[in-house]
């Protein structure tokens, strides 16, 4: 065991021991961490900015002290004075290792920045936003009829627009009189209509007739990624979509790690609240710039998120969500002002947060329910929102059940030896010849397969950098179909599989997908550890779905909808070969894209939909997997590929699954047979 300090990088999860005095940039390069640098470590370009994290990290098994990095030096001081470093940031080329440390590499410091693949799906929505523009002419003041400018404005809005019992946002009182006089007693008022739950209120003013646009944001605040869709509130059009990594990842990739961080570190929950709010503000600047609009024109925002993110976004300690009975501080929909959440938009911008369904089934599941409407389905539909924490809905117009399963980040490329998030250069599609065992693949940013002419030239800029979530799903399923992996999930040796691509890697075998080492690139392999991580994730997902089926006393569903950024990009056949989802006709398995984000967009553009989803959520029956005895039974069975108990007859009518078991106990094959315990 090395006595050198341990350096752990997030979000990649890569780690290694380095001597005291090693620059963080050097450690990153040696581990293959995606940390940018243009100036060669001279402290000039600032591309290598990193964020160190301090405190206790039970997930990583380390405690990071405030002295884990070298002190702030003159190079950083000079750069900060000239250009400014964000609070908490260091330059990776200047900060040196002094002790165990957790280092977050922010998206802007990554060479291969993530392509956040959440998008707004096409859907017909009745346009009925909560913010509306009204142009009115206001009576001028008259000494003989004394009344205030505000009262006369409200009278004009009532007289001309039928708006009664109006309030005004306090921040507008100061600018009311100058605005009226600048517009020669004509004004355009943006009015928050209150969606029936509160008194309408004037939230923005323009002198004269304002013929521009106002906008709203539909935000899917995921534990791994944050995606936002900027919508024109006058037309309903999505004018821009953008996303970032959730900056809370440095506190833990999975939700329970973040709950643990808040438990173990005083004020840790507030740290995470600040981090996610800062991330949202950065995203809003980014999306406004993309759309080339003034950020102050964003007047409404709708948010969906899981319960832990819900609490951390609102500034609520998630402690109670970490233990039974998993009590939410509030499950109802929330109507707030964006400014109350430290969101830097127009001072009058509203924020609506969809209701949560249960302690581990959040507003994101409510968004999926609004988008996919299982409660209106004639047939039995299973809706799975695939992510770090999977939300699952099962039902029809006869009723809907819901639960969540902690799948972890493996589906998104984390905890995978060659894994990475979806970015140009990442392998996303894989096929393996069942006879030769040779793979072919495609990478993000290139439409050419690896065995086709022109692939090397087409990928010269990005290279082949790793494998993302959809790629790891496909390659493991293809390995199973090609006889490289057996049912229990063990990779066979070269002798057992007949392929030199299978090689001894420690006590088990690995499979080589791509060797770019001759050109300075990485070797991309699938290890048995990778397969175990995916087995655990997919078993959790399947077990949640199977548990809901037990509750309804059914053995099959009529159709399956895969939702979520990841769900939109996986093959239904490969998902079923892996055993992620129950047996079903393949043409009945469809993708809904980012259904949670679509639900947020529906609620943004149609206030009636807000009432609808609030009623729907009250009628959904919640199932808590953590206290269900059969969940563990299903989990054990679902650890096999595809399953050791459920027969999957429909799948077996479509594909041939080799009957294999490589765990012979023979050491010479490198299969790593289990050692028997000594008795006595």
């Amino acid at each position: 065991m090395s006595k050198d300090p341990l350096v752990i990088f997030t979000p990649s999860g890569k780690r290694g021991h380095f001597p005291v005095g090693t620059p963080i940039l050097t450690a990153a390069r040696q581990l293959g961490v995606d940390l940018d640098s243009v100036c060669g470590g001279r402290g000039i370009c600032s591309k290598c900015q990193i964020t160190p994290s301090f405190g206790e990290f039970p997930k990583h098994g380390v405690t990071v002290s405030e002295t884990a990095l070298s002190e702030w030096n003159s190079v950083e001081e000079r750069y900060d004075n000239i250009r400014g470093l964000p609070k908490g940031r260091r330059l990776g080329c200047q900060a040196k290792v002094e002790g165990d440390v957790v280092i977050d590499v922010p998206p802007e410091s990554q060479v291969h920045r993530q392509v956040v693949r959440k998008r707004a799906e096409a859907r017909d929505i009745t346009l009925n936003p909560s913010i509306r523009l009204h142009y009115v002419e206001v009576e001028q003041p008259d000494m003989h009829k004394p009344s205030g400018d505000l009262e006369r404005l409200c009278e004009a809005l009532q007289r001309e627009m039928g708006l009664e019992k109006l309030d005004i946002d306090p921040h507008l009182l100061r600018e009311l009189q100058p605005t009226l006089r600048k517009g020669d007693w004509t004004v355009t008022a943006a009015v928050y209509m209150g969606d029936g739950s509160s008194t309408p209120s004037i939230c923005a003013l323009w002198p004269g007739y304002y013929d521009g646009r106002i906008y709203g944001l539909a935000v899917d605040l995921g534990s791994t990624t944050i995606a936002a869709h900027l919508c024109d509130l006058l037309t309903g059009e999505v004018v821009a979509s953008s996303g970032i990594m959730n900056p809370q990842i440095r506190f833990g990739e999975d939700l329970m790690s973040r709950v643990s961080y808040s438990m173990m570190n005083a004020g840790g929950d507030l740290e995470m609240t600040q981090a996610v709010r800062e991330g949202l503000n950065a995203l809003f600047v980014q999306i406004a710039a993309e759309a080339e609009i003034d950020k102050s024109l964003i007047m409404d925002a709708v948010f969906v998120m899981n319960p832990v993110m819900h609490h951390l976004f609102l500034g609520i300690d998630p402690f109670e969500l970490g233990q039974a009975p998993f009590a939410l501080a509030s499950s109802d929909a929330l109507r707030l002002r964006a400014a109350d959440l430290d969101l830097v938009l127009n001072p009058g911008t509203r924020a609506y947060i969809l209701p949560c369904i249960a302690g581990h089934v959040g507003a994101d599941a409510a968004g999926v329910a609004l988008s996919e409407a299982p409660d209106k389905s004639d047939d039995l539909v299973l809706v799975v929102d695939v992510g770090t924490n999977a939300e699952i809905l099962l039902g029809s117009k006869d009723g809907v059940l819901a639960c969540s399963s902690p799948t972890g980040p493996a589906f998104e490329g984390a905890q995978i030896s060659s894994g990475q998030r979806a970015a140009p250069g990442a392998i996303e599609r894989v096929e393996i010849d069942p006879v030769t065992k040779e793979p072919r693949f495609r990478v993000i940013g290139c439409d050419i397969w690896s065995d086709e002419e022109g692939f090397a030239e087409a990928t010269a800029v990005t290279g082949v950098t790793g494998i993302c979530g959809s790629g790891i799903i496909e390659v493991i399923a293809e390995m199973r179909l090609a006889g490289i992996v057996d049912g229990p999930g063990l990779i066979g040796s070269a002798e057992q599989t007949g392929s030199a691509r299978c090689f001894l890697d420690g006590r088990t075998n690995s499979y080589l997908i791509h060797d770019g080492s001759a050109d300075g690139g990485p070797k991309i392999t699938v290890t048995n550890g990778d397969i175990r991580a995916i087995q655990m994730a997919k078993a959790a997902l399947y077990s949640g779905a199977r548990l809901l089926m037990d509750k309804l006393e059914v053995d099959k569903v009529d159709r399956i909808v895969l939702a979520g950024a990841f769900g939109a990009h996986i093959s239904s056949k490969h998902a079923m070969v892996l055993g992620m989802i129950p047996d079903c006709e393949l043409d009945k398995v469809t993708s809904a894209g980012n259904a949670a984000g679509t639900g947020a967009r529906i609620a943004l553009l149609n206030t009636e939909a807000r009432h609808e989803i609030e009623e729907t959520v009250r009628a959904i029956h919640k199932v808590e997997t953590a206290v269900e005895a059969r969940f563990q039974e299903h989990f054990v069975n679902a650890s096999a590929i595809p399953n050791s108990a459920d027969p999957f007859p429909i799948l077996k009518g479509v594909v041939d699954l080799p009957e294999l078991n490589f765990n012979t106990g023979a050491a010479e094959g490198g299969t790593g047979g289990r050692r028997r315990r000594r008795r006595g």
Side-chain angles (χ1 to χ4, degrees):
M1 181 70 68
S2 173
K3 293 183 179 180
D4 289 329
L6 176 64
V7 181
I8 301 169
F9 288 92
T10 64
S12 68
K14 293 182 178 179
R15 58 174 61 201
H17 291 274
F18 295 91
V20 170
T22 303
I24 293 298
L25 179 60
T26 301
R29 285 175 170 171
Q30 290 183 15
L31 290 174
V33 173
D34 200 12
L35 179 59
D36 202 0
S37 177
V38 174
C39 68
R42 295 181 179 87
I44 299 171
C45 71
S46 83
K47 299 289 188 182
C48 64
Q49 290 183 30
I50 50 95
T51 304
S53 297
F54 307 101
E56 295 187 32
F57 294 85
K59 174 183 174 65
H60 300 305
V62 296
T63 297
V64 181
S65 73
E66 296 286 344
T67 59
L69 292 181
S70 58
E71 293 184 1
W72 181 270
N73 67 17
S74 59
V75 175
E76 292 170 301
E77 182 70 27
R78 182 189 68 210
Y79 186 87
D80 189 44
N81 289 335
I82 296 172
R83 298 186 185 177
L85 274 174
K87 187 177 179 181
R89 290 275 180 89
R90 297 289 303 271
L91 295 182
C93 61
Q94 302 300 311
K96 296 180 173 61
V97 176
E98 297 289 346
D100 293 346
V101 66
V102 176
I103 298 292
D104 180 61
V105 181
E108 59 269 28
S109 296
Q110 297 172 17
V111 181
H112 303 98
R113 298 173 187 176
Q114 182 193 15
V115 178
V116 179
R117 307 182 71 174
K118 296 183 177 182
R119 61 189 181 91
E121 300 299 313
R123 179 187 169 103
D124 293 332
I125 302 171
T126 302
L127 192 60
N128 181 25
S130 68
I131 308 287
R132 297 194 179 180
L133 296 180
H134 299 284
Y135 169 76
V136 292
E137 297 181 358
V138 180
E139 286 187 16
Q140 297 186 32
D142 186 337
M143 289 186 356
H144 301 291
K145 295 192 296 182
S147 66
D149 288 349
L150 173 60
E151 286 69 31
R152 282 181 278 102
L153 170 60
C154 290
E155 287 171 4
L157 287 166
Q158 179 179 353
R159 181 178 62 252
E160 298 180 29
M161 302 296 172
L163 299 175
E164 299 183 357
K165 297 181 180 179
L166 274 172
D167 284 337
I168 189 170
D169 287 2
H171 74 276
L172 290 176
L173 290 173
R174 177 177 174 81
E175 60 188 77
L176 172 62
Q177 292 188 307
T179 301
L180 285 171
R181 284 153 181 80
K182 185 177 181 180
D184 194 22
W185 302 101
T186 62
V187 66
T188 301
V191 179
Y192 171 65
M193 305 304 292
D195 61 39
S197 62
S198 58
T199 302
S201 184
I202 302 166
C203 55
L205 293 169
W206 291 265
Y209 176 67
Y210 172 68
D211 60 354
R213 300 289 181 178
I214 58 171
Y215 301 89
L217 286 163
V219 183
D220 181 3
L221 180 47
S223 51
T224 302
T225 59
I226 306 174
H229 307 298
L230 182 70
C231 301
D232 186 326
L233 293 183
L234 303 183
T235 66
E237 178 189 4
V238 178
V239 297
S241 296
S242 192
I244 61 170
M245 298 297 296
N246 187 331
Q248 288 182 349
I249 282 181
R250 68 178 182 267
F251 302 101
E253 290 178 331
D254 59 273
L255 296 174
M256 286 303 101
S257 291
R258 296 181 203 176
V259 174
S260 296
Y261 183 85
S262 71
M263 290 178 176
M264 303 292 290
N265 298 276
D269 59 315
L270 296 179
E271 280 186 77
M272 290 185 280
T273 295
Q274 181 181 0
V276 76
R277 291 179 179 181
E278 289 176 351
L280 283 165
N281 283 323
L283 175 58
F284 298 161
V285 169
Q286 179 178 312
I287 200 168
E290 181 182 329
E292 298 181 342
I293 68 161
D294 188 324
K295 189 156 57 76
S296 67
L297 295 176
I298 299 173
M299 300 300 304
D300 199 8
V302 172
F303 296 86
V304 295
M305 65 208 79
N306 62 58
V308 172
M309 289 308 310
H310 177 274
H311 279 43
L312 290 173
F313 176 46
L314 293 171
I316 301 169
D317 190 336
F319 175 82
E320 295 296 340
L321 294 175
Q323 57 188 354
F326 314 110
L328 287 155
S330 173
S331 58
D332 286 345
L334 296 172
R335 294 165 172 84
L336 306 167
R337 298 193 186 209
D340 295 334
L341 299 169
D342 298 328
L343 302 180
V344 185
L345 297 167
N346 189 296
T349 300
R350 266 44 182 190
Y352 175 80
I353 301 173
L354 268 69
C356 290
I357 296 176
H360 281 162
V361 188
D364 48 357
V368 172
L370 179 57
S371 171
E372 300 309 306
D375 57 310
K376 297 180 175 63
S377 175
D378 291 322
D379 53 6
L380 186 62
V381 57
L382 176 72
V383 185
V384 183
D385 190 359
V386 188
T388 309
N389 194 62
E391 279 83 22
I392 305 167
L393 303 170
L394 175 66
S396 65
K397 60 176 55 175
D398 295 327
V400 178
L401 305 180
C403 74
S404 70
S405 276
T407 54
F411 285 150
E412 295 177 331
Q415 300 175 347
I416 303 300
S417 60
S418 297
Q420 68 168 85
R421 310 218 184 268
I427 295 173
E428 63 171 344
R429 297 288 313 281
V430 181
E431 293 178 355
I432 298 177
D433 188 303
V435 177
T436 66
K437 319 296 184 188
E438 287 296 302
R440 66 195 294 254
F441 55 84
R442 279 172 46 180
V443 301
I444 295 174
C446 177
D447 294 330
I448 303 174
W449 286 88
S450 60
D451 61 346
E452 294 177 341
E453 186 176 350
F455 176 80
E457 293 77 11
T459 58
V461 175
T462 63
V464 182
T465 56
I467 186 164
C468 68
S470 60
I472 197 68
I473 293 300
E474 291 203 6
V475 72
I476 294 176
E478 286 283 318
M479 289 168 70
R480 178 73 178 92
L481 290 169
I484 297 168
V485 169
D486 63 13
L490 197 66
I491 300 175
S493 66
E495 292 79 7
Q496 290 169 322
T497 63
S499 172
R501 286 186 174 271
C502 295
F503 62 95
L504 188 61
D505 188 5
R507 298 189 67 249
T508 56
N509 294 292
S510 293
Y511 176 75
L512 178 65
I513 303 174
H514 172 73
D515 187 355
S517 57
D519 300 318
K523 278 189 176 181
I524 299 173
T525 63
V526 178
T527 69
N528 249 118
D530 298 337
I531 292 179
R532 291 288 179 263
I534 292 296
Q535 282 178 290
M536 296 302 98
K538 71 97 176 180
L541 183 63
Y542 181 87
S543 301
R546 196 68 183 83
L547 189 63
L548 296 188
M549 293 167 66
D550 289 347
K551 294 291 182 181
L552 292 184
E553 299 181 347
V554 298
D555 290 321
K556 64 184 295 292
V557 298
D558 297 316
R559 59 189 178 94
I560 298 173
V561 177
L562 298 175
F566 173 67
H569 298 281
I570 59 176
S571 151
S572 57
K573 182 184 82 171
H574 291 100
M576 204 169 294
V577 167
L578 199 63
M580 286 176 61
I581 53 178
D583 199 36
C584 185
E585 299 288 348
L586 290 180
D587 62 355
K588 296 293 185 180
V589 182
T590 59
S591 168
N594 181 21
T598 301
R601 188 163 59 96
I602 294 169
L604 173 70
L605 298 175
N606 183 0
T607 55
E608 288 302 315
R610 303 183 185 186
H611 302 298
E612 176 188 335
I613 192 55
E614 289 168 26
E615 289 297 321
T616 299
V617 163
R618 293 188 189 102
I620 292 175
H621 178 71
K622 302 86 178 174
V623 176
E624 182 51 65
T625 58
V627 297
E628 291 286 343
R630 292 211 69 190
F631 181 84
Q632 190 61 33
E633 177 187 337
H634 287 310
F635 186 90
V636 171
N637 295 334
S639 297
I641 304 174
N643 198 289
S644 62
D646 295 344
F648 281 74
I650 298 174
L651 175 67
K652 289 180 179 177
V654 177
V655 300
D656 292 323
L657 288 172
E659 294 293 335
L660 299 167
N661 192 328
F662 295 134
N663 192 13
T664 62
E668 65 274 8
T671 60
R674 295 179 181 174
R675 293 181 294 178
R676 295 181 180 178
R677 292 183 179 178
R678 294 179 182 270
R679 294 187 179 271

